[in-house]
Amino acid sequence: MPIEVTPAWLTKQAELSLRRLLPRLRATFAAAPGDEWQVIESRLAAQFERLFGLLYHLYGARYDFFYHLEQILETAARMALERPADLKARDREREANANWFESQEMLGGVCYVDLFAGNLAGLRSKLPYLKELGLTYLHLMPLFKAPQGENDGGYAVSSYREVNPSLGTMAELSDLAGELRRHGISLVVDFVFNHTSEEHDWARRAQAGEEEYEDFYYVFPDRVMPDAYERNLREIFPGARPGSFTWRPDMGKWVWTTFYSFQWDLNYGNPAVFRAMLEEMLSLANTGVEVLRLDAVAFIWKQLGTSCENLPEAHMIIQAYNALARIAAPALIFKSEAIVHPDEVARYISPERCQLSYNPLLMALLWESLATREVDLLQHSMAERFGIAPGCAWVNYVRVHDDIGWTFDDAAANRLGINGYDHRRFLNAFYTGRFPGSFSRGLPFMENPRTGDARISGTCASLAGLEKALREEDDEEVELAIRRILLIHSVILSIGGIPLIYLGDEVGTLNDYAYRNDPTKAADSRWVHRPFTDWTRIQCRADLTTIEGRVYAGLRRLIALRKANATLANGNMLVIDPGNRHVFGYVRQSQEGRLLILCNFSENEQPIAANTVRAHGLSYAFRDHISGRDVELKDDLVLAPYQVQWVTAR
Ligand code: GLC
Ligand code: GLC
């Protein structure tokens, strides 16, 4: 008779399994010093029921489930015991203060080690600069061993245990993590777990015909299955290659490659892959990484007849890794990189999944509002979608190393009379500078001639108008471009969550077209916004007569205001309607007080009715913290072009 899998049955099986497994684990780890095994055992007991349920759903139908379950627990326990003492101390600290990342002191930065500072030693020497900026969170772009030449900016990992030799060593990475930690900066790296490079040892062994390792990937003898899957798949990098599979003449087989053909998708249907990647994940944690950015999280489970994105099993895998992190490295948290429909983005965010998530909707709509000079879609979408579970936080950004995709909800746009398809075409035309009057100098990324779809590459400053204004030597336009840069940064610094600065943006870095001369980069326009850091420009940051100085000073002021204002902690935020389509307004409130934020997204002055300002809890006398001026509210308030006000009652 088939078993009926009810919650009660699962609870019983979990208890029974743990009872059977514990004596075996205790024996394996009998030599653990002091009370260390006790600590692990109590965490295991706290997480086991949830973990068992998830793994049972994923792998319970296999005859060898119990074997894999034991292997997984053994891996977690071994890695927990191997964790260095200072990180065990960090675990206790974070367990006592799980919401540490909600502080208004948090400020993130992201950079490529080689482009920013040459190598890890160089990066270390830039610590004073990172501290001056106020960073508490540093995301280093993929820095592990990767194929020479094309490697998708390091997103094709050949070994998770070796730093790319041109950047340094694993020992340097963990030293750096320690030093950052002592300076109040958490190290963030990618967990590129959807795929490995074709040069990873597992892929090599698959290429050599080892069946056990073929099972680590999706390998097919002919086009039957690839064709069947492709009926429902979206093409992620259509400009590079059509479809999602790559023919390997050496193997005489097809391999699943969602992104580039040298990035082989891992097969999480195989519990051996789950276990092997668990070990890689925990070894990253044990080098001192505190936040793992779960790369391409939407794609990690495939099922015929579906889009193979955002499947329930993908969520189970993340939850299982989350539970295992609570056992083996409690200080570790996850950030979701799901650049998908906003409904799907939201589903990855919870204390049991990813505590942090990129906020691609806010990012896209900030640019959308700059292009249209209207905030309807931004206002509407943030009112509806900004709220997330307690114990979680958005990572708010205006630019990162990737393209901008217009991932807003078409139904929401429709309600505002905006046709999603047409609007995306407009935004692409605007940001590539093809639309008449556009201030922007972006490039199309992965235009798909079949669907007419495209995304946008370009640095913040070039997209915001600085490149065009400088080329045309138009001082007024330069001023407007700088205001746009500061305006959108002011939002990510105040709306709630961790603001993330793409390093270089703080001094208004422009597009760099040199990538076109490099054959390993020329086909991927994202390299236009991944230039080498020009330190002579950063050295100008104190000189207010330079562009660098103007952007930097403006940003530093906003950062200082953020850090000093406890009302900006956590993510409580109320979108208001300022009664003017060009002005985005919201209120941040806490026991510390109430802050009203008003942002003019147009290059014209915009009035806001005095009543509106008063209705949001302010008296007749208030103070704008950005200009540092006291304001008497006798008449309507008037915002200058692209002006932002952070106002409190006086
Ligand atoms: C993520 C990265 C992107 C990379 C892709 C494949 O989306 O942000 O840069 O191309 O994953 O790893
Ligand atoms: C990665 C790619 C981005 C793509 C996304 C799809 O982030 O870089 O271009 O839109 O994956 O999820």
Side-chain angles (χ1 to χ4, degrees):
M1 216 173 62
I3 308 165
E4 200 198 332
V5 182
T6 61
W9 182 85
L10 272 174
T11 303
K12 223 170 74 195
Q13 299 310 313
E15 271 168 30
L16 183 61
S17 299
L18 189 59
R19 229 184 308 133
R20 286 171 172 165
L21 282 164
L22 271 180
R24 296 165 59 92
L25 290 168
R26 280 183 195 135
T28 306
F29 298 107
D35 69 345
E36 287 197 13
W37 174 254
Q38 273 320 311
V39 173
I40 295 171
E41 200 177 303
S42 68
R43 291 193 202 132
L44 180 60
Q47 298 296 330
F48 191 73
E49 190 178 334
R50 153 164 108 104
L51 180 63
F52 178 85
L54 293 161
L55 294 176
Y56 180 82
H57 277 294
L58 290 165
Y59 306 119
R62 299 177 55 114
Y63 88 91
D64 57 356
F65 171 60
F66 196 77
Y67 165 79
H68 288 289
L69 178 64
E70 181 167 27
Q71 292 285 302
I72 288 166
L73 297 184
E74 214 181 283
T75 301
R78 183 163 40 78
M79 298 306 282
L81 289 169
E82 280 175 17
R83 198 157 159 79
D86 52 341
L87 295 176
K88 287 179 180 155
R90 190 60 152 190
D91 289 337
R92 288 188 292 275
E93 235 174 84
R94 295 306 200 205
E95 281 177 314
N97 177 23
N99 294 353
W100 58 275
F101 48 78
E102 293 187 5
S103 162
Q104 79 281 3
E105 307 256 357
M106 287 297 295
L107 178 69
V110 51
C111 66
Y112 288 89
V113 176
D114 54 343
L115 300 178
F116 188 69
N119 54 28
L120 285 174
L123 190 95
R124 204 162 167 166
S125 72
K126 303 300 184 196
L127 192 58
Y129 178 65
L130 303 177
K131 287 188 65 182
E132 175 190 306
L133 201 52
L135 298 193
T136 61
Y137 164 121
L138 179 64
H139 175 195
L140 298 182
M141 295 297 293
L143 71 171
F144 298 101
K145 197 171 152 197
Q148 292 279 334
E150 264 191 279
N151 57 32
D152 192 19
Y155 280 100
V157 177
S158 302
S159 165
Y160 300 87
R161 307 287 179 116
E162 285 165 81
V163 168
N164 180 338
S166 67
L167 301 179
T169 63
M170 228 41 199
E172 278 180 283
L173 181 64
S174 70
D175 285 353
L176 177 69
E179 183 156 356
L180 290 171
R181 199 159 54 246
R182 287 187 290 281
H183 285 96
I185 302 177
S186 296
L187 178 62
V188 186
V189 305
D190 281 85
F191 186 41
V192 186
F193 74 133
N194 175 68
H195 43 264
T196 71
S197 92
E198 62 184 352
E199 294 181 10
H200 191 284
D201 186 49
W202 304 332
R204 290 250 197 251
R205 296 175 80 163
Q207 287 150 28
E210 280 187 54
E211 242 174 74
E212 192 182 337
Y213 287 95
E214 272 194 10
D215 275 353
F216 267 49
Y217 301 95
Y218 294 91
V219 177
F220 304 98
D222 52 38
R223 280 297 305 181
V224 175
M225 290 311 287
D227 286 340
Y229 278 112
E230 261 176 8
R231 257 169 246 142
N232 304 87
L233 299 182
R234 141 176 105 101
E235 294 173 278
I236 304 301
F237 287 169
R241 159 201 41 118
S244 298
F245 297 85
T246 300
W247 170 249
R248 293 288 306 201
D250 55 339
M251 303 165 73
K253 289 180 179 166
W254 290 92
V255 179
W256 198 314
T257 56
T258 297
F259 295 88
Y260 283 110
S261 55
F262 49 83
Q263 289 163 307
W264 288 26
D265 287 46
L266 284 163
N267 171 14
Y268 282 89
N270 176 357
V273 169
F274 179 91
R275 193 215 62 81
M277 287 304 285
L278 169 69
E279 192 167 329
E280 304 310 297
M281 173 180 103
L282 294 175
S283 92
L284 290 175
N286 286 358
T287 64
V289 172
E290 294 191 49
V291 182
L292 280 179
R293 170 190 183 276
L294 301 190
D295 180 60
V297 70
F299 299 91
I300 59 172
W301 193 270
K302 333 280 188 200
Q303 194 184 321
L304 192 63
T306 73
S307 69
C308 298
E309 287 185 49
N310 309 306
L311 294 177
E313 290 82 356
H315 286 265
M316 291 180 196
I317 287 171
I318 301 159
Q319 292 174 77
Y321 278 152
N322 176 308
L324 286 155
R326 304 281 73 68
I327 295 167
L332 183 71
I333 61 170
F334 296 156
K335 171 168 77 160
S336 144
E337 191 247 350
I339 313 300
V340 289
H341 188 278
D343 288 345
E344 298 295 346
V345 172
R347 291 196 182 105
Y348 292 97
I349 310 171
S350 81
E352 289 79 32
R353 297 177 196 205
C354 298
Q355 298 87 342
L356 307 179
S357 167
Y358 279 111
N359 193 345
L361 183 62
L362 174 65
M363 182 277 293
L365 293 180
L366 289 173
W367 291 105
E368 190 268 347
S369 299
L370 281 182
T372 59
R373 281 80 161 171
E374 283 168 6
V375 303
D376 306 30
L377 193 53
L378 175 65
Q379 176 181 313
H380 185 85
S381 305
M382 289 305 119
E384 228 172 39
R385 296 177 180 276
F386 193 80
I388 51 176
C392 296
W394 287 115
V395 173
N396 297 312
Y397 62 109
V398 305
R399 287 301 289 121
V400 282
H401 69 289
D402 272 334
D403 48 292
I404 301 177
W406 308 110
T407 58
F408 55 80
D409 175 29
D410 282 47
N414 258 320
R415 284 196 289 280
L416 301 169
I418 300 169
N419 173 298
Y421 179 82
D422 294 343
H423 201 49
R424 288 188 181 87
R425 300 215 99 165
F426 158 71
L427 291 166
N428 284 328
F430 188 91
Y431 279 106
T432 51
R434 293 171 194 157
F435 190 83
S438 164
F439 51 70
S440 191
R441 284 293 173 266
L443 296 177
F445 175 64
M446 297 285 168
E447 265 179 317
N448 190 335
R450 266 192 329 105
T451 58
D453 198 24
R455 285 109 74 185
I456 294 293
S457 293
T459 66
C460 172
S462 288
L463 294 176
L466 191 59
E467 184 174 330
K468 178 170 185 277
L470 287 172
R471 188 139 315 147
E472 294 171 1
E473 299 180 18
D474 184 334
D475 290 344
E476 243 168 76
E477 280 298 321
V478 167
E479 173 62 24
L480 291 179
I482 292 175
R483 289 190 191 192
R484 288 185 199 106
I485 295 171
L486 294 175
L487 166 73
I488 55 180
H489 278 95
S490 84
V491 177
I492 64 163
L493 284 160
S494 62
I495 196 165
I498 303 175
L500 176 66
I501 297 175
Y502 186 50
L503 294 178
D505 286 348
E506 77 281 13
V507 288
T509 300
L510 299 180
N511 284 348
D512 178 357
Y513 299 93
Y515 80 98
R516 288 175 171 157
N517 308 324
D518 179 341
T520 68
K521 295 179 174 164
D524 189 330
S525 69
R526 290 176 299 172
W527 288 99
V528 83
H529 55 253
R530 299 171 181 175
F532 279 98
T533 302
D534 180 350
W535 285 91
T536 58
R537 295 189 48 245
I538 292 188
Q539 264 134 33
C540 297
R541 68 190 181 280
D543 179 351
L544 293 180
T545 65
T546 62
I547 305 278
E548 291 80 5
R550 284 157 73 187
V551 176
Y552 189 80
L555 202 58
R556 283 280 300 139
R557 173 155 177 72
L558 291 169
I559 292 169
L561 283 175
R562 165 187 167 84
K563 293 200 179 220
N565 202 322
T567 306
L568 294 177
N570 76 48
N572 293 323
M573 187 276 296
L574 182 74
V575 175
I576 62 158
D577 181 0
N580 179 326
R581 297 183 77 181
H582 309 287
V583 178
F584 182 46
Y586 47 98
V587 172
R588 300 297 318 273
Q589 186 156 11
S590 73
Q591 285 138 336
E592 324 288 330
R594 189 180 173 87
L595 188 62
L596 170 64
I597 294 174
L598 297 167
C599 313
N600 176 3
F601 272 81
S602 85
E603 58 268 74
N604 300 314
E605 284 189 348
Q606 296 298 336
I608 298 167
N611 270 341
T612 307
V613 183
R614 280 197 297 272
H616 292 287
L618 299 162
S619 57
Y620 286 81
F622 61 91
R623 185 176 177 77
D624 167 28
H625 293 263
I626 294 195
S627 63
R629 287 212 195 101
D630 289 342
V631 185
E632 299 297 332
L633 199 57
K634 286 188 258 26
D635 307 310
D636 292 350
L637 186 73
V638 177
L639 293 179
Y642 297 121
Q643 188 182 2
V644 179
Q645 291 202 340
W646 291 4
V647 297
T648 54
R650 183 144 54 84

